[in-house]
Amino acid sequence: MNGTIFVCSDIVPVSCEPVKNGAVAASGGKITAVGGAEEIKKSFPDFTVRDLGRGVVAPGFINCHTHLELGWLKPEKKFKSFTSWLKHIIDGKSSGANTGKIERSVTDGIKSLIQSGVTTVGEISSYGNDADILKNSPLRTVLFREIMDNRPDTDTQTEPSERFEERLFAHAPYSCGPELIEKVFKISARGNIPTGIHLAESPEETAFVKGEKNGFEETIYPLIGKPPMKRHKAETPFQYLRAIESGGAKITGVHMAHIKKSEIKQIQKTGMGVVLCPRSNEFLGTGTAPVPEYAEMERIGLGTDGLSSNTTLNFFDEIKALYKLLLPLGENTAAEKAVRIATLGGAEALFMEDKIGSIETGKDSDLIFIECGETENPYLEIVKANKAEVL
Ligand SMILES: [Zn+2]
């Protein structure tokens, strides 16, 4: 059997304690062993040894939520409300979209992600121009096809491959009527394919589900000629979603910022995945998720969102923002939780933890290397870094 042994000063498997002077053996795209360097070298004498020196080998990062196609809509400055941002996107899309711009955004975005250690991306596809580019890129891709009332086609469009799969994504409660959300969830449940939705992103969305005055009905619907939406009322976006029949679908909720602390346990009970996008929420001025409370849970991942609502697609910038929000837990715990959310938590949030997210025998060998000096706490070294090499 041929393979490679990556040797370095610190291995962070995430699923267990870090290993000093460790090694990871990989063959045929799978991890065959992880442990002390000498022991691994003895166990696999035919493998090629690559000594990386000082630094950390970690599982590749999982950027659970991007809109690579919307990179060309990057705004000049931050926003004060969700609806003012949405208006910017709608105006931009109607006046300036063209295939060249969209495809360039996707290609540039992929570059930024790989340079910052991302090996898996959860991409929301609005136009469909991202599918082939991602399928032919080094990134493992979950392509979420965005469904809305004005774009309700739920047929699968791109053939899956070893590193590419397509799922359906109900855009949001204000853009998909409850019947369409139910349809997306039930189709997904029948095929045993996970699905997702933007949920609890803004105060306007809470007002919308409560049936109160809101920016969607006052500004956005008249702008796009959308008729009023018939819907049930709920106290919060999460309760609104719970009232919709899902058929047992595995659902990933993206943003989940406007969640009551008392709802966090309920979310865990439902087995729902959660993707936090701290810099996007800050950029749009829509509020902050209860991050330290979420950190106690599994199935919590991290996403940069698109350049249409963020300043960079560098995943280390997102990890740093998350780390800051976790600091009430103390520096060391914050770093460890941030790294977990960026890797294994993301795999769980996308329902892919059997395959990726940690360095464990049998999982796919999506590995990254972060060069650094002395490593007292390898989790902190990951948080402090700015670039990584995908191995
Ligand atoms: Zn999004």
Side-chain angles (χ1 to χ4, degrees):
M1 189 164 63
N2 286 324
T4 307
I5 297 173
F6 299 103
V7 176
C8 80
S9 63
D10 296 81
I11 311 280
V12 172
V14 177
S15 51
C16 62
E17 289 296 305
V19 185
K20 276 265 171 220
N21 301 315
V24 183
S27 176
K30 299 275 179 199
I31 295 163
T32 48
V34 52
E38 291 315 310
E39 183 196 326
I40 300 278
K41 280 196 246 177
K42 253 188 234 153
S43 306
F44 299 92
D46 299 336
F47 281 24
T48 308
V49 175
R50 188 172 162 206
D51 195 340
L52 298 158
R54 286 211 159 276
V56 181
V57 168
F61 295 138
I62 300 172
N63 188 346
C64 296
H65 188 70
T66 62
H67 295 257
L68 297 177
E69 286 180 321
L70 305 185
W72 58 277
L73 282 166
K74 193 173 186 310
E76 296 296 317
K77 55 179 186 341
K78 295 185 180 186
F79 291 83
K80 288 200 176 76
S81 76
F82 187 72
T83 28
S84 62
W85 171 78
L86 202 54
K87 194 172 173 304
H88 160 80
I89 296 295
I90 292 165
D91 289 346
K93 272 183 170 178
S94 64
S95 62
N98 73 56
T99 309
K101 268 201 263 189
I102 295 168
E103 291 186 353
R104 242 186 337 273
S105 296
V106 176
T107 312
D108 291 349
I110 290 171
K111 236 182 262 167
S112 304
L113 297 184
I114 293 173
Q115 281 167 358
S116 57
V118 172
T119 53
T120 298
V121 67
E123 160 76 351
I124 309 299
S125 181
S126 307
Y127 300 105
N129 295 88
D130 44 5
D132 284 339
I133 303 175
L134 279 161
K135 201 173 171 180
N136 294 316
S137 84
L139 288 175
R140 184 187 299 279
T141 302
V142 178
L143 191 91
F144 287 100
R145 204 144 52 73
E146 187 177 71
I147 308 293
M148 297 185 191
D149 284 344
N150 62 359
R151 206 163 51 224
D153 180 13
T154 52
D155 290 341
T156 306
Q157 289 177 352
T158 314
E159 275 293 303
S161 69
E162 178 59 32
R163 295 174 65 85
F164 180 96
E165 62 177 285
E166 189 178 296
R167 301 180 184 176
L168 297 178
F169 191 88
H171 178 262
Y174 53 84
S175 54
C176 299
E179 295 82 16
L180 184 59
I181 297 177
E182 183 178 324
K183 185 180 172 195
V184 165
F185 287 176
K186 286 191 170 168
I187 290 172
S188 301
R190 268 202 301 280
N192 196 24
I193 297 168
T195 178
I197 185 166
H198 290 114
L199 195 75
E201 183 173 4
S202 65
E204 289 96 320
E205 187 184 323
T206 304
F208 176 83
V209 299
K210 281 178 141 175
E212 292 172 355
K213 209 169 108 157
N214 64 83
F216 302 108
E217 287 170 309
E218 288 205 331
T219 315
I220 303 298
Y221 286 12
L223 184 70
I224 58 174
K226 183 176 166 62
M229 184 195 290
K230 270 199 191 146
R231 60 190 189 276
H232 52 286
K233 281 187 191 172
E235 265 309 294
T236 66
F238 177 63
Q239 303 307 336
Y240 179 86
L241 197 77
R242 282 188 90 190
I244 296 174
E245 274 290 322
S246 76
K250 294 172 180 159
I251 302 162
T252 304
V254 178
H255 293 295
M256 301 292 276
H258 294 271
I259 293 291
K260 290 186 177 162
K261 286 181 184 171
S262 60
E263 287 178 319
I264 289 185
K265 280 212 170 77
Q266 289 177 16
I267 293 170
Q268 187 156 34
K269 261 196 197 151
T270 63
M272 191 173 175
V274 171
V275 177
L276 303 172
C277 303
R279 285 190 305 154
S280 168
N281 298 155
E282 210 263 319
F283 194 86
L284 303 191
T286 51
T288 311
V291 173
E293 285 78 8
Y294 273 130
E296 294 303 313
M297 277 177 61
E298 293 182 354
R299 294 205 190 284
I300 305 294
L302 182 66
T304 53
D305 216 341
L307 268 186
S308 44
S309 60
N310 206 338
T311 46
T312 71
L313 290 179
N314 183 320
F315 203 60
F316 285 106
D317 292 343
E318 206 63 48
I319 293 176
K320 286 181 180 68
L322 179 72
Y323 169 73
K324 262 194 194 162
L325 295 172
L326 287 164
L327 272 176
L329 304 175
E331 262 187 24
N332 289 339
T333 307
E336 191 178 334
K337 297 276 186 196
V339 171
R340 190 189 192 283
I341 291 171
T343 55
L344 187 55
E348 292 164 349
L350 295 178
F351 302 94
M352 297 173 86
E353 68 270 24
D354 291 347
K355 244 185 171 182
I356 52 170
S358 58
I359 304 180
E360 288 180 79
T361 304
K363 280 198 178 181
D364 287 4
S365 55
D366 291 7
L367 302 168
I368 55 171
F369 175 64
I370 294 159
E371 201 182 340
C372 51
E374 286 299 321
T375 48
E376 207 176 296
N377 179 344
Y379 294 109
L380 266 175
E381 296 302 329
I382 297 174
V383 171
K384 281 194 289 186
N386 288 306
K387 63 177 186 347
E389 179 194 345
V390 176
L391 297 175

